[in-house]
Amino acid sequence: MQPTQESFAVRPPQFWRSPRAWLREHQLSRGYWIFFTAAFFFDAGFAVYFFLFNLYLLDFRFDEKAIGFINGAFTLGMMSGTVPVGILGRRIGMRPLLLVCFVAAPLVGLLRALWIWQPAQIALAFIAGIAMCLWTVSFLPVVAALTSEKNRTAGMSIIFSVGVGTSALGGAICGYLPDWLGLAGFALSPAAVKRLILVGSCILAAAGISAILRLRLATPAKSADVAGRATQRHWLALFRLRPFLRRFLLCMGLWSALIAAFAPFANVYLSRDLHVSLASIGLIFSLAQGVQVLAGILLPILIRRAGMLNGIFATELVTAALLLLMAGARHRGLAIAFYLAFSAAQWMSSPALYNLLMNETPEEERSTAAGFTMFINNLAASVATTFAGILYVRFGYTAVLAGVSAFAVAAAVSTRILLSRPTAAPPLAQTHLADAASD
């Protein structure tokens, strides 16, 4: 049955009227809240880490070219691990992968903060990417397993929103911590302060392992025949992906490439091109997270009014326009305003796209779909980040951002055309995110 016009009417969000009633209505399980705790610590720690790390490299005279190679190696590591991790998850379950992730990722993060040598940074970034892909591949299937189709959107939205909120708080603290330490009488260099924060963020991320130890997930069948058939199906899936997934992977790859062409360099852009201080960068980062939270609140209303694909298309076109405006801005305040708007617009399409992927994919194939999505995303991001760093050094931010804007338009048009084709899923499957507007 097709949704009626009345079903797209915007009703007052129940969450803001009564958060407790909203949570009771969605009946999120105890297992979900245990995983939420682990995700809270992991996301909070690494949000601070990734906010600060490229600025830390600037203190040691790394330029955009070197930073591009390092970030490219990180995404290449994530890409290399996604398919094997997806297959391994089907054989041994997601919980062991999460345990390894919560140990390995913080340890490698510590090494990256302490060993400042470009070849070592590239190698450690690759290893860090492999460790982090354990989280990216596990996240969607675990949330899907701990929720039902009825409350899955709410479950994902809570984790996304809280992650954004902790990032905003962490960015503000990072920006002002050097001043606070100075007032307290600690005479530390800028690099030493950043190193201290990076170490602390790794410890915070590792604290989530206590929740993973209490998490209970269904384990896959132990039969060797079952495991063998599962492995075979995964490798055959390389050549027999569902038509929707093939189209989705192309669209996500294009979008990931254009985001990766600027996102890793955003703080470097603020510091070098706009000459913004660390304290102000921290404040801007926090504001960017805040506008992303607001965008997340407005997204269901947009989807309800415009439809899933029209909403995604609109946010991607707005992202392209803001990149072009940022490229042409001559006043620092105006460029920062466009950057904040860009942060909101580019973030809005991600929850919708991932929710669409999970809704259009059968439960038994979700880990495969997540694995291949992350594989394509990281392949595109690795190439885009590496070449973008080279281009920024050679041509500057104005010319490159204008080119990325044109690429964003192409990605938006491709998404609108390719994902509008009929799929085997029921028509209402694409309206689940819109239903969140009434929650």
Side-chain angles (χ1 to χ4, degrees):
M1 183 179 70
Q2 293 289 348
T4 64
Q5 185 175 359
E6 287 76 17
S7 69
F8 288 96
V10 179
R11 296 189 293 270
Q14 294 181 6
F15 176 81
W16 300 110
R17 295 202 306 263
S18 176
R20 183 176 299 179
W22 185 86
L23 291 172
R24 277 201 308 268
E25 177 187 348
H26 288 288
Q27 298 178 336
L28 294 165
S29 66
R30 180 176 180 272
Y32 169 83
W33 291 113
I34 291 174
F35 182 71
F36 168 85
T37 303
F40 173 84
F41 284 106
F42 195 83
D43 287 344
F46 278 106
V48 171
Y49 190 94
F50 291 123
F51 159 74
L52 200 60
F53 191 74
N54 287 340
L55 295 175
Y56 179 61
L57 293 178
L58 288 181
D59 288 338
F60 294 93
R61 302 187 183 280
F62 285 70
D63 61 10
E64 284 89 345
K65 181 178 179 180
I67 291 172
F69 278 116
I70 292 168
N71 283 276
F74 177 83
T75 52
L76 185 63
M78 292 189 71
M79 180 199 72
S80 302
T82 47
V83 173
V85 166
I87 295 173
L88 192 61
R90 285 289 293 270
R91 298 195 65 178
I92 68 174
M94 293 298 176
R95 184 173 178 272
L97 298 183
L98 289 172
L99 288 170
V100 173
C101 173
F102 273 71
V103 173
L107 283 178
V108 178
L110 283 173
L111 285 174
R112 295 181 72 193
L114 299 176
W115 194 358
I116 307 299
W117 179 46
Q118 185 170 331
Q121 282 293 318
I122 293 173
L124 288 171
F126 180 82
I127 298 171
I130 296 175
M132 288 298 293
C133 85
L134 295 168
W135 174 252
T136 56
V137 172
S138 301
F139 176 81
L140 290 177
V142 170
V143 174
L146 296 172
T147 57
S148 65
E149 191 169 348
K150 181 180 178 181
N151 63 11
R152 185 165 299 130
T153 297
M156 287 189 178
S157 297
I158 291 171
I159 292 181
F160 270 100
S161 297
V162 172
V164 170
T166 56
S167 298
L169 179 62
I173 292 174
C174 287
Y176 289 100
L177 187 59
D179 294 336
W180 296 341
L181 290 174
L183 291 174
F186 294 96
L188 297 175
S189 68
V193 173
K194 294 184 182 73
R195 186 184 300 114
L196 179 65
I197 298 173
L198 291 171
V199 171
S201 67
C202 290
I203 295 172
L204 179 63
I209 196 171
S210 60
I212 296 298
L213 290 170
R214 294 186 289 116
L215 184 65
R216 294 292 177 264
L217 295 170
T219 56
K222 299 297 183 182
S223 166
D225 292 338
V226 172
R229 288 197 299 271
T231 303
Q232 184 182 26
R233 285 197 301 272
H234 273 81
W235 284 109
L236 289 176
L238 281 166
F239 308 99
R240 297 188 308 188
L241 296 177
R242 289 175 177 269
F244 170 79
L245 184 56
R246 288 199 298 267
R247 301 195 302 270
F248 182 89
L249 291 177
L250 175 59
C251 296
M252 281 299 298
L254 291 173
W255 191 247
S256 296
L258 75 93
I259 296 302
F262 177 66
F265 304 95
N267 288 344
V268 178
Y269 164 73
L270 293 172
S271 177
R272 282 197 165 179
D273 209 57
L274 300 184
H275 308 290
V276 178
S277 67
L278 176 60
S280 296
I281 291 174
L283 179 59
I284 292 168
F285 178 79
S286 298
L287 289 173
Q289 303 301 297
V291 297
Q292 286 178 0
V293 171
L294 178 61
I297 295 170
L298 296 177
L299 177 61
I301 299 174
L302 172 64
I303 297 302
R304 182 175 292 278
R305 289 288 181 89
M308 178 71 79
L309 289 176
N310 286 337
I312 294 171
F313 181 59
T315 59
E316 292 182 347
L317 283 182
V318 171
T319 300
L322 289 166
L323 280 168
L324 187 60
L325 290 170
M326 205 187 313
R330 293 292 177 264
H331 187 271
R332 183 169 64 178
L334 199 58
I336 291 171
F338 290 143
Y339 167 69
L340 291 173
F342 161 82
S343 298
Q346 63 88 16
W347 188 86
M348 289 178 78
S349 62
S350 297
L353 283 167
Y354 286 124
N355 197 73
L356 178 63
L357 173 64
M358 290 293 102
N359 285 338
E360 294 286 350
T361 304
E363 184 174 358
E364 66 275 9
E365 297 180 13
R366 282 174 182 154
S367 62
T368 303
F372 280 108
T373 299
M374 299 306 169
F375 178 89
I376 294 298
N377 286 356
N378 290 314
L379 174 61
S382 178
V383 174
T385 302
T386 301
F387 280 98
I390 297 171
L391 294 174
Y392 285 131
V393 170
R394 183 167 182 178
F395 299 108
Y397 283 94
T398 299
V400 178
L401 288 178
V404 175
S405 173
F407 190 84
V409 173
V413 172
S414 299
T415 299
R416 183 66 184 86
I417 294 173
L418 293 177
L419 297 188
S420 64
R421 296 181 185 179
T423 68
L428 287 177
Q430 293 189 2
T431 68
H432 289 306
L433 183 61
D435 292 339
S438 63
D439 294 339

